[in-house]
Amino acid sequence: MELNNIEKLLEKYLEATTTVVEEEMLREYFTKEEVPLHLKEYAPMFQYFSIAKEEKFTKKVPLKPRKRSYIKWISVAAVSVLIFGIYFGRSYQEQREAEYAYQETKKALSLLAANLGKGTEKVAYLREFEETKQKIYNKN
């Protein structure tokens, strides 16, 4: 490969604009032993990439349940407490409003009963008056 092309590819690589094929060409070039002196500093990096590409992880990874599952349960509990509070808070509010309406109705009916009692007393006086008037007219 021509040195000028390699330098252009290296510039593109450092700017992160190379393709996978161009990176492979750079890796191949720098794994050879005949690298010019001014590009020798990049050789270890590309050699490391070549070696690291071949490495494989062979240890067994133990699968443990996540420790953050308690967060899910806490959020579920918080939502249920909120819904519970809203439901019973609303029913408590409705009960208080019903009690208030009952008390107001009781006061109104009590006032009506008292006034009706006064009217009944007056009617009783009128009946007596009417009877007395009838007695007086009947005697004449």
Side-chain angles (χ1 to χ4, degrees), residues 91-130:
S91 88
Y92 177 73
Q93 183 67 24
E94 288 173 357
Q95 182 181 2
R96 287 183 47 99
E97 288 173 0
E99 286 176 13
Y100 178 74
Y102 172 73
Q103 293 299 328
E104 291 299 311
T105 306
K106 194 173 168 183
K107 281 184 198 175
L109 290 176
S110 165
L111 184 63
L112 183 66
N115 287 333
L116 187 63
K118 287 179 186 176
T120 313
E121 289 173 7
K122 302 297 180 188
V123 169
Y125 288 130
L126 282 175
R127 191 172 293 144
E128 251 181 71
F129 177 75
E130 192 64 34

